[in-house]
Amino acid sequence: MSNAIDTKKVVVDEITSKFKDSMSTVIVDYRGLSVSEVTELRKQLREAGVEFKVYKNTLTRRAVEQVELTGLNDFLTGPNAIAFSNEDVIAPAKIINEFAKSHEALEIKAGVIEGNVATVEEVKALAELPSREGLLSMLLSVLQAPVRNLALATKAVADQKEEQGA
């Protein structure tokens, strides 16, 4: 009997550490997906460095209490899978949201974004953000705009002076 309890404690500790270490977490209901669809989703998540696992709800509830995210308890009903990302905040939300658009059986239930419980709407809003590279590209474009405009104005003045001098 104690062996089963010890095994459960190890799993709860594992889930607890994943919640603590992850930058973002997404909880989904995967009922209705075929094995091949779940495999495809796992593959996409794995390529992005996201771990996707199924845990018993009772064990997940105990882990959630340890990390003080009890707001998730309402969503821990039925078959759930959890996507943990330690590297990219946006990756799990973006991949799961895109997958859910083409597979209606996949339902986003809730999430945790940098230690705060997030609703479905917040997870979907996070998924709609551009990737880190996209955001950096936008920032670079904004930073380059004044320099580019100054260069264009200087060239226009130089061209005008050249025409007047000719």
Side-chain angles (χ1 to χ4, degrees), residues 7-166:
T7 305
K8 289 179 181 180
K9 285 181 182 177
V10 169
V11 173
V12 169
D13 291 342
E14 175 187 330
I15 301 168
T16 302
S17 69
K18 287 183 183 190
F19 270 115
K20 286 180 182 176
D21 297 341
S22 70
M23 294 179 77
S24 70
T25 304
V26 178
I27 300 172
V28 298
D29 181 347
Y30 60 93
R31 271 186 291 204
L33 290 180
S34 69
V35 173
S36 62
E37 290 170 333
V38 172
T39 304
E40 175 61 27
L41 177 59
R42 284 181 190 270
K43 180 179 176 255
Q44 290 178 19
L45 290 167
R46 193 177 327 108
E47 288 171 355
V50 178
E51 185 176 355
F52 189 71
K53 285 196 89 168
V54 176
Y55 292 107
K56 287 184 158 243
N57 288 334
T58 54
L59 301 179
T60 306
R61 279 191 199 98
R62 289 178 190 240
V64 161
E65 288 171 10
Q66 288 183 11
V67 291
E68 298 175 3
L69 295 170
T70 52
L72 289 177
N73 281 336
D74 297 338
F75 304 104
L76 297 174
T77 57
N80 295 314
I82 307 173
F84 297 98
S85 176
N86 296 341
E87 301 163 11
D88 189 355
V89 177
I90 299 173
K94 185 176 276 306
I95 293 168
I96 290 171
N97 191 45
E98 285 301 314
F99 197 84
K101 286 179 183 176
S102 59
H103 299 84
E104 292 183 15
L106 184 68
E107 175 191 349
I108 298 172
K109 289 180 140 184
V112 178
I113 302 169
E114 294 183 337
N116 299 312
V117 176
T119 63
V120 175
E121 293 78 24
E122 292 169 332
V123 172
K124 288 184 178 182
L126 180 67
E128 298 300 324
L129 288 175
S131 66
R132 184 175 190 275
E133 291 77 20
L135 289 171
L136 289 174
S137 172
M138 287 180 203
L139 176 63
L140 183 61
S141 177
V142 168
L143 293 175
Q144 285 179 338
V147 175
R148 184 178 32 240
N149 291 342
L150 177 65
L152 291 173
T154 306
K155 183 175 180 339
V157 169
D159 290 345
Q160 187 179 23
K161 296 240 183 209
E162 188 177 297
E163 286 177 10
Q164 289 175 354

